[in-house]
Amino acid sequence: MSKPVVHIANLSLKYQHKPVFQGLNWTINRYEHWLICGTSGSGKTSLAKAIAGLPHSYGNIEIAFNPDSDLPATVHYVANWFQFKDLEGQSNFYYQQRYNKQSAETTATVKAELESFGKKHALQLNEVESILAALGFSELKDSTLIQLSSGEHKKLQLVKALWLKPQLLILDLPYNGLDTLSRKNLNTLLEEVSNAGTQLILISNETELPSCINRNAEIKEGKLVEVSADERSWNEIEVSDKAVPTFLTEAAPTPSYSEIIRMIDVNISYGEKHVLKNINWEVKTGEKWVLQGHNGSGKSTLLSLICGDHPQAYANNFHLFGNKRGSGESIWEIKERIGLISPELHWYFDPSATVWQSIVSGFYDSSGLFCDPGYSKKAQTDELISYFGLDEYKNTLMNELPLGKQRLALLARTIVKNPELLILDEPCQGLDQQQTKHFNRLVDELCKNGTTLIYVGHFESQLPNCIEHRILLENGAVKSVGTTIERFESVENFEYN
Amino acid sequence: MSNYFNTLPLREQLNQLGVCDFMDSAEFLDGVNVLKGKKLVIVGCGAQGLNQGLNLRDSGLDVSYALRKEAIEGKRDSWKNATENNFTVGTYEELIPNADVVINLTPDKQHTSVVNAVMPLMKKGATLLYSHGFNIVEEGMQIRKDITVIMVAPKCPGSEVRAEYVRGFGVPTLIAVHPENDPDGKGLAQAKAYCVGTGGHRAGVLKSSFVAEVKSDLMGEQTILCGLLQTGSILSFDKMVEKGIDAGYASKLVQYGVEVITEALKHGGVSGMMDRLSNPAKVKAFEISEELKDIMRPLFQKHQDDIMSGEFSSTMMADWANGDKNLLAWRAETGETAFEKTPAGDVKIAEQEYFDNYTLMVAFVRAGVELAFETMVQAGIKPESAYYESLHETPLIANTIARKKLFEMNRVISDTAEYGCYLFDQACKPLLADFMTKVDTDLVGKNFNEGKDGGVDNRTLIAINEVLRSHQVEVVGAELRKAMTAMKTIKTA
């Protein structure tokens, strides 16, 4: 028996001054590929970062690389979050920026980014091509970093890791934001690198996993407990039966328009690149829609038009809330009626605001709070914070919270004003299964009172029940529009062109 | 044309310099209504032009861009900026005659020719908007009497004007109405509505005058903002190299240090910045900044005097007429400095290390901010105006140095600021020669606290804290910062 690859003895870990693990012991032997699951905030990311040598931890982590392996003797950590900088070293972006053309040239291209990564780690450029192709990324090589969607940023991180083939690869929520086919292909790629000698630690609560995973563990109450594959405890889902705050179930006054959205031949392009092509779409008041399409199909761009975030809205023929866009309305009048969550909104959100401030800011559609909200808004916010179980984090800064808790706070922000139109773009990214189920039930509850819904989700099992219409995008065009009776049959069959 | 300020009697000079009113948010309750349905035509589409236009349009206003024929035919960047964001673009002749408000966002140097081209085309009773008063005050541009002349000056780079707007906030803004050109009395209402359109009303608006804005803006940019940061950076780098500190480390410390240090200034004023030092380092920084203030005071005063008398602007305009001979020579000289040519090393410098190892810059910043503020106030500029043009803008300029050093700073700031910056730098370096011979690596390059026990005398420390905290720039600053605490951190390091 060879030496264990990772040996952890009596490790104590803190997250923001609070103990996460005390006296943790864990051994990873050669040929083992671990799955680590656990609820949001259980300490998965802290442990992963400790093994990767990132944060302050006390105790002993020994990593014995295989001297006979050709693979780089290194631990590579793919974070659940991504970070990039512009060409001047700044990372000071706002989420609408990727829709501005003049912003595009201020960040590096994907190609340049990959070249510099390859150079740093002495990798062969030709080896990356097949990985790019498998993840549907080849066409994005000339895109700049600012133009990538969150799913595409995730893929770029994965491409780098798979290209590097380190001896130990830690992937933290790698499936977040990936479409169905990309997930499948990622699993195949992971199986390939594991065959070639890379050992995996996969942090995920998903069920579709690479077949090489041969050990399973769950983090629960500060302990790492090994479980068998069937025992992964995500099946025991209890959904809390807390009553939805009453201010969220009040029916909105009937609006004077019957269509919330009417798009006529909407086109968006950046130079030669057509991102949306002749989109025709009507959403009537009170309808519940799911918007689907693979990564890069144009979903985020379509939603950005509706939210008043896209400068090219002014050159297109479309109506929002009964007014033609660009007829003298301000984007704040539009945003006032919309509750929005998206991966991009989360990514660019002001991390220096407290949970409480972040949630109240939903009344003003701002990133951070800039005024005194007054008594009733404060009271509603407090009620919602309790409903989401965030009381103890009320005054905590967003960037001091784990991803899942940040997401819960932003979901509370999305609904706090009980908006006419909910736009939920992969709202449950980073949440565990119980939280996802719980949130979707809440969405069902909210939608009973005439709220209009547009929901983006890749998986049928993770959608709220109230959805009745579906629009499918492919390469920037509408592939199909229909009701969910003829449901989802083609979703699994996407191909990249 | 003659210098407008110099045509005024002293009474009126003081009167206009003294316009300074930090506006209550209730002043903006009418929103953009005054400009709703009006045709806003922006001349120029650089960073300010484009980003202000995007904000105004998103606030429901009708915005288009007038560009010179050559810019349109040559498909220059300004044309691309405007058309790619789906704005209407046309020549002066096409768009100006129908404009209700013409917004001049071209560089200072072009103002005279732009305004001369635009004015005859403007309809009767229209409004001309500037974001800087140089053309009116220093060049004495005369505007047709039926035209209303206003100023709206966001105190941030164009990219920030947009970034803060879309996150639901804005940037601090200065507004003014030219007393010679407000025939219908609508100037202030329009300036306020424009502020709402760009989001400035959420971050604090200071009502100023063309005169106060120009005289304080010139002073700030020449002395503390650009001049002193340039001089301090170059002297610090050269000192470290002279004393054997690794050049890559020195380059990085100087490039990013001023940004990290002034970030503390932005949040907590001069005392907030000084509080980041250990007690012994604070005492030392206080002592040397007092010394620096004494050495540099006459230079600051000379700059203010030349600005007030018009000497500065006439010298600079003579250089314009001379094909920018001095400006270009100084610019080239800056590009050739050792600091500029040494890339930042691949070393990690922790945030606190920038304070501990760069006490000298903390002293430079304190001396410069306080001197600029004091000199402006002595010259009749109100403390609030002086605050904006000294302390408030320092972190913004520091950010440009962090991006790409001094060359970048000088590229981003206006030509006017750049010219003044070089003037200051040329005079300041020899002035500090003796002082710099006494400076060692404990003040720049190495940790000041190394080998010290950290002890200080209680009474000394209390006295120093008292002096720092009771300075007028701190008192005024605390009040103004309340309105803009929510501003997002700009960080590079």
Side-chain angles (χ1 to χ4, degrees):
Chain A
M1 187 86 193
S2 56
K3 240 174 120 179
V5 176
V6 177
H7 184 70
I8 297 179
N10 203 20
L11 177 75
S12 295
L13 261 186
K14 285 184 175 179
Y15 182 78
Q16 305 290 351
H17 314 298
K18 284 182 203 153
V20 184
F21 294 106
Q22 268 172 339
L24 178 82
N25 297 302
W26 186 22
T27 301
I28 300 177
N29 293 304
R30 190 153 299 158
Y31 310 118
E32 288 180 353
H33 304 282
W34 285 75
L35 173 78
I36 307 293
C37 59
T39 54
S40 157
S42 56
K44 304 185 293 289
T45 298
S46 298
L47 180 60
K49 284 185 173 172
I51 298 172
L54 295 175
H56 312 286
S57 54
Y58 305 93
N60 204 349
I61 300 182
E62 277 175 47
I63 298 179
F65 292 110
N66 179 0
D68 304 326
S69 168
D70 296 337
L71 302 180
T74 168
V75 185
H76 186 79
Y77 171 66
V78 176
N80 55 13
W81 206 232
F82 51 90
Q83 192 64 260
F84 63 96
K85 291 188 166 186
D86 67 15
L87 296 172
E88 295 171 349
Q90 306 232 95
S91 53
N92 209 28
F93 305 105
Y94 49 97
Y95 79 89
Q96 296 92 336
Q97 208 165 339
R98 50 187 289 242
Y99 309 121
N100 293 0
K101 244 174 301 183
Q102 75 280 6
S103 293
E105 287 131 34
T106 59
T107 54
T109 60
V110 168
K111 195 163 166 240
E113 177 72 15
L114 286 172
E115 280 168 1
S116 101
F117 183 82
K119 203 172 155 199
K120 192 172 164 196
H121 297 278
L123 303 172
Q124 297 301 317
L125 266 178
N126 53 14
E127 287 176 16
V128 75
E129 297 298 335
S130 59
I131 307 172
L132 290 171
L135 289 176
F137 215 75
S138 306
E139 282 177 27
L140 290 168
K141 275 207 295 194
D142 295 323
S143 299
T144 55
L145 298 180
I146 186 84
Q147 292 173 315
L148 301 184
S149 69
S150 65
E152 288 161 349
H153 271 290
K154 173 58 84 179
K155 285 181 178 178
L156 180 58
Q157 284 179 306
L158 292 167
V159 166
K160 287 181 186 168
L162 292 163
W163 188 19
L164 179 64
K165 297 187 189 65
Q167 288 196 20
L168 183 60
L169 175 57
I170 308 176
L171 302 158
D172 195 350
L173 304 181
Y175 302 106
N176 264 7
L178 297 196
D179 56 41
T180 320
L181 183 64
S182 301
R183 292 181 185 214
K184 261 187 206 159
N185 291 347
L186 173 62
N187 284 343
T188 311
L189 291 167
L190 289 173
E191 283 153 17
E192 281 171 24
V193 293
S194 70
N195 281 335
T198 293
Q199 285 190 247
L200 303 178
I201 300 176
L202 194 63
I203 297 172
S204 174
N205 288 320
E206 302 290 338
T207 44
E208 300 290 321
L209 299 165
S211 58
C212 57
I213 294 292
N214 50 21
R215 305 288 296 266
N216 296 276
E218 188 184 352
I219 298 178
K220 227 175 177 176
E221 288 150 14
K223 298 215 161 40
L224 187 86
V225 186
E226 178 151 19
V227 291
S228 72
D230 330 318
E231 269 179 338
R232 297 173 195 148
S233 66
W234 51 60
N235 298 323
E236 333 155 1
I237 293 170
E238 326 153 17
V239 175
S240 102
D241 47 5
K242 270 189 234 169
V244 178
T246 49
F247 72 90
L248 289 178
T249 54
E250 284 158 16
T254 318
S256 58
Y257 39 84
S258 58
E259 285 155 346
I260 284 215
I261 300 163
R262 182 151 57 92
M263 297 190 172
I264 300 157
D265 285 330
V266 164
N267 281 285
I268 300 286
S269 60
Y270 307 118
E272 300 293 295
K273 193 176 165 194
H274 280 247
V275 184
L276 290 181
K277 302 164 194 159
N278 301 318
I279 303 282
N280 288 285
W281 188 27
E282 281 182 20
V283 173
K284 294 200 169 62
T285 309
E287 286 182 343
K288 330 290 178 202
W289 284 78
V290 63
L291 165 62
Q292 294 185 311
H294 58 68
N295 293 133
S297 59
K299 300 187 296 297
S300 307
T301 309
L302 185 64
L303 295 178
S304 74
L305 282 169
I306 301 166
C307 298
D309 287 333
H310 205 299
Q312 293 188 43
Y314 295 95
N316 276 293
N317 184 1
F318 82 100
H319 288 69
L320 272 182
F321 304 104
N323 293 319
K324 180 161 187 322
R325 190 71 179 87
S327 60
E329 77 292 349
S330 86
I331 58 169
W332 306 107
E333 288 158 6
I334 293 170
K335 288 173 183 290
E336 210 175 2
R337 300 158 182 260
I338 300 175
L340 167 72
I341 180 88
S342 69
E344 285 78 16
L345 183 130
H346 186 168
W347 194 69
Y348 294 103
F349 200 80
D350 182 0
S352 64
T354 66
V355 165
W356 188 83
Q357 289 169 332
S358 302
I359 297 175
V360 188
S361 73
F363 284 109
Y364 305 100
D365 312 299
S366 56
S367 170
L369 182 65
F370 311 115
C371 58
D372 186 331
Y375 177 79
S376 60
K377 290 191 173 77
K378 284 181 186 167
Q380 290 181 1
T381 303
D382 287 341
E383 206 179 334
L384 202 54
I385 283 182
S386 293
Y387 178 76
F388 274 88
L390 291 167
D391 291 287
E392 64 174 302
Y393 307 108
K394 197 171 153 177
N395 297 315
T396 310
L397 299 185
M398 289 291 272
N399 60 8
E400 292 177 352
L401 283 178
L403 206 57
K405 295 270 188 278
Q406 289 181 21
R407 181 51 72 103
L408 278 186
L410 290 179
L411 288 174
R413 175 187 184 272
T414 306
I415 60 171
V416 69
K417 65 181 168 188
N418 195 15
E420 268 175 70
L421 170 62
L422 275 175
I423 297 185
L424 307 175
D425 182 354
E426 302 195 39
C428 297
Q429 244 185 37
L431 299 188
D432 58 45
Q433 299 236 329
Q434 179 178 344
Q435 289 168 328
T436 301
K437 196 149 187 175
H438 193 184
F439 180 72
N440 282 338
R441 266 190 28 172
L442 173 63
V443 172
D444 282 332
E445 196 67 30
L446 297 180
C447 285
K448 279 181 191 161
N449 304 298
T451 305
T452 310
L453 173 69
I454 301 172
Y455 196 106
V456 178
H458 291 296
F459 291 99
E460 193 191 350
S461 61
Q462 292 173 9
L463 296 178
N465 294 325
C466 62
I467 292 191
E468 49 198 6
H469 300 275
R470 169 173 172 261
I471 177 167
L472 175 63
L473 294 188
E474 191 176 272
N475 294 321
V478 176
K479 176 133 192 260
S480 69
V481 178
T483 63
T484 45
I485 300 168
E486 66 238 57
R487 212 168 154 127
F488 311 113
E489 77 287 344
S490 64
V491 179
E492 304 296 320
N493 300 326
F494 281 159
E495 292 300 332
Y496 294 113
N497 306 350
Chain B
M1 295 193 300
S2 62
N3 188 306
Y4 168 69
F5 185 69
N6 291 351
T7 64
L8 298 174
L10 177 64
R11 167 180 20 85
E12 190 54 23
Q13 286 183 337
L14 291 174
N15 191 17
Q16 292 198 28
L17 275 176
V19 181
C20 178
D21 170 25
F22 192 66
M23 299 176 87
D24 192 89
S25 56
E27 300 250 22
F28 300 93
L29 291 176
D30 198 38
V32 295
N33 285 340
V34 172
L35 294 176
K36 202 124 201 184
K38 299 267 191 283
K39 291 224 168 297
L40 275 56
V41 176
I42 300 179
V43 183
C45 195
Q48 282 293 349
L50 174 63
N51 288 301
Q52 288 188 32
L54 287 167
N55 290 1
L56 293 163
R57 181 173 66 176
D58 277 347
S59 296
L61 298 176
D62 179 351
V63 179
S64 50
Y65 287 86
L67 301 178
R68 281 176 305 134
K69 221 189 201 136
E70 306 88 80
I72 296 173
E73 282 167 358
K75 303 197 167 181
R76 299 215 183 126
D77 283 347
S78 56
W79 177 84
K80 277 193 210 152
N81 279 344
T83 49
E84 289 182 350
N85 285 293
N86 300 113
F87 285 104
T88 304
V89 180
T91 58
Y92 293 178
E93 290 73 17
E94 287 163 350
L95 294 178
I96 302 292
N98 290 318
D100 297 294
V101 183
V102 175
I103 298 138
N104 174 17
L105 294 177
T106 58
D108 286 350
K109 207 182 282 183
Q110 296 172 18
H111 280 190
T112 297
S113 68
V114 167
V115 172
N116 281 334
V118 160
M119 199 164 34
L121 299 169
M122 285 175 72
K123 71 178 175 193
K124 193 165 181 293
T127 295
L128 178 62
L129 185 150
Y130 283 90
S131 65
H132 184 36
F134 190 88
N135 185 235
I136 295 286
V137 176
E138 300 293 322
E139 298 186 84
M141 173 61 80
Q142 298 291 314
I143 308 294
R144 230 169 58 206
K145 285 302 164 197
D146 61 293
I147 293 176
T148 303
V149 176
I150 60 178
M151 172 165 54
V152 178
K155 293 277 121 189
C156 268
S159 53
E160 290 302 302
V161 170
R162 180 65 179 159
E164 288 296 332
Y165 177 84
V166 290
R167 66 189 284 264
F169 197 47
V171 304
T173 303
L174 223 110
I175 63 174
V177 179
H178 189 32
E180 314 292 331
N181 282 82
D182 191 17
D184 314 320
K186 66 185 176 192
L188 184 60
Q190 288 190 332
K192 287 198 288 188
Y194 191 92
C195 254
V196 176
T198 55
H201 68 302
R202 299 198 189 94
V205 178
L206 191 71
K207 188 163 83 184
S208 180
S209 68
F210 275 69
V211 163
E213 189 271 340
V214 169
K215 300 296 185 186
S216 59
D217 184 71
L218 289 175
M219 178 62 187
E221 67 194 17
Q222 295 178 11
T223 56
I224 169 60
L225 299 177
C226 307
L228 188 60
L229 294 188
Q230 165 141 357
T231 305
S233 295
I234 292 172
L235 291 179
S236 298
F237 178 82
D238 290 348
K239 174 58 72 178
M240 280 190 272
V241 171
E242 173 204 322
K243 294 284 178 179
I245 304 273
D246 174 68
Y249 178 87
S251 174
K252 182 157 186 182
L253 188 72
V254 172
Q255 181 174 354
Y256 296 102
V258 62
E259 182 185 51
V260 175
I261 288 167
T262 56
E263 182 69 19
L265 182 78
K266 179 169 105 188
H267 290 285
V270 172
S271 30
M273 172 183 73
M274 296 285 283
D275 286 347
R276 293 297 309 268
L277 299 173
S278 69
N279 286 331
K282 185 199 264 185
V283 172
K284 183 71 181 174
F286 180 82
E287 286 166 6
I288 57 174
S289 54
E290 288 291 298
E291 192 183 342
L292 283 167
K293 281 176 80 172
D294 288 339
I295 299 171
M296 296 190 296
R297 190 169 288 114
L299 181 60
F300 275 64
Q301 286 169 344
K302 180 180 190 311
H303 274 262
Q304 186 70 78
D305 294 346
D306 288 349
I307 289 164
M308 285 298 179
S309 67
E311 170 69 17
F312 165 75
S313 53
S314 62
T315 316
M316 181 179 67
M317 287 188 283
D319 195 48
W320 289 358
N322 197 18
D324 293 319
K325 191 161 166 280
N326 287 338
L327 180 80
L328 295 174
W330 289 331
R331 185 184 288 173
E333 224 171 83
T334 302
E336 289 301 314
T337 58
F339 166 59
E340 206 60 29
K341 298 193 113 176
T342 309
D346 191 13
V347 278
K348 183 124 182 94
I349 303 181
E351 200 246 7
Q352 184 58 40
E353 189 176 335
Y354 281 108
F355 291 91
D356 295 338
N357 292 23
Y358 203 7
T359 310
L360 180 63
M361 183 48 79
V362 177
F364 269 127
V365 172
R366 182 215 162 204
V369 165
E370 290 190 358
L371 268 182
F373 179 88
E374 289 165 15
T375 314
M376 281 191 246
V377 172
Q378 281 166 0
I381 293 163
K382 293 286 170 189
E384 288 84 355
S385 305
Y387 174 85
Y388 272 109
E389 303 298 348
S390 56
L391 197 152
H392 169 75
E393 287 212 29
T394 308
L396 299 171
I397 300 296
N399 172 259
T400 65
I401 297 178
R403 289 185 197 192
K404 280 185 189 162
K405 301 192 169 177
L406 300 172
F407 190 79
E408 172 70 5
M409 172 186 85
N410 283 308
R411 190 184 65 80
V412 169
I413 60 179
S414 65
D415 281 0
T416 316
E418 185 179 2
Y419 187 87
C421 165
Y422 297 142
L423 271 187
F424 180 92
D425 184 45
Q426 298 288 325
C428 193
K429 274 201 205 113
L431 213 51
L432 291 175
D434 279 347
F435 170 84
M436 285 306 294
T437 57
K438 297 181 294 179
V439 170
D440 208 337
T441 51
D442 60 335
L443 288 176
V444 55
K446 292 192 177 153
N447 191 334
F448 180 81
N449 305 299
E450 221 171 77
K452 299 188 178 67
D453 69 1
V456 288
D457 177 63
N458 279 324
R459 283 168 303 178
T460 310
L461 186 65
I462 291 165
I464 287 173
N465 281 335
E466 180 61 23
V467 173
L468 290 173
R469 294 183 206 302
S470 60
H471 194 282
Q472 197 178 14
V473 77
E474 294 294 275
V475 180
V476 172
E479 198 51 42
L480 295 179
R481 278 195 299 275
K482 267 191 218 156
M484 45 188 163
T485 40
M487 279 187 69
K488 198 173 162 187
T489 320
I490 307 175
K491 259 194 238 136
T492 316

